Amino acid sequence: MAGTIEVLVPGGAANPGPPLGPELGPTPVDVQAVVQEINDQTAAFDGTEVPVTVEYEDDGSFDIDVGVPPTAALVKDEAGFETGSGVPQEEFVADLSVEQVKTIAEQKLPDLLAYDLKNATKEVVGTCTSLGVTIEGENPREFKAKIDEGEYDEFFADEAAA
């Protein structure tokens, strides 16, 4: 009777109630153990909806695979706003620091097509462009041009050396 359950849970705040509890109830797993493991693995996403897959066996053993929330959700969470701009090139709804953009890129790197943190950051900047979020007070397209020109190479090189 092994199976798989896929749910969206708030990062670090899953509980035995819906949507998780009713799905896990009929299975042989310890629901509380699964919830605790999910919360441990999703703590970094604090409250953001996170896709989680639970694979369980007949003996009650289980494996948890935590996905990464969409980039837009991470940007909204980091910048503290609910809805992107209706006119993203003219009206900006929030501003992020370079460190915040780098943090989002680090979280998303495993799920992106980028090979390194610099290019993952450029993908996050693209999402900022469509949401109407500035970076260090600049239009995200101008910020991306500075990344392309190498202005932030040292910032990303520190990460590669670490």
Side-chain angles (χ1 to χ4, degrees), residues 120-131:
T121 301
K122 288 168 43 175
E123 288 191 41
V124 173
V125 170
T127 300
C128 291
T129 302
S130 63
L131 289 172

Side-chain angles (χ1 to χ4, degrees), residues 3-79:
T4 302
I5 296 170
E6 295 178 359
V7 292
L8 278 175
V9 298
N15 62 57
L20 205 50
E23 293 284 338
L24 291 172
T27 69
V29 299
D30 177 353
V31 175
Q32 203 57 41
V34 172
V35 169
Q36 185 60 50
E37 181 72 22
I38 289 172
N39 286 336
D40 290 346
Q41 290 188 30
T42 62
F45 298 116
D46 190 31
T48 304
E49 292 287 307
V50 181
V52 175
T53 302
V54 179
E55 293 181 7
Y56 61 89
E57 299 296 331
D58 292 333
D59 65 0
S61 63
F62 61 89
D63 284 316
I64 295 172
D65 182 39
V66 176
V68 179
T71 305
L74 293 174
V75 170
K76 288 177 183 180
D77 187 50
E78 190 70 33

Side-chain angles (χ1 to χ4, degrees), residues 81 83-86 91-95 131-134:
F81 67 94
T83 306
S85 173
E91 296 174 15
F92 298 99
V93 296
D95 185 57
L131 289 172
V133 175
T134 56

Side-chain angles (χ1 to χ4, degrees), residues 98 102 116-119 122 144-161:
V98 178
K102 181 179 174 183
D116 58 22
L117 187 59
K118 179 178 178 178
N119 286 302
K122 288 168 43 175
K144 182 187 172 295
K146 287 183 177 184
I147 292 174
D148 289 338
E149 292 166 4
E151 190 170 320
Y152 290 95
D153 283 356
E154 188 175 306
F155 186 72
F156 299 111
D158 291 345
E159 183 67 28

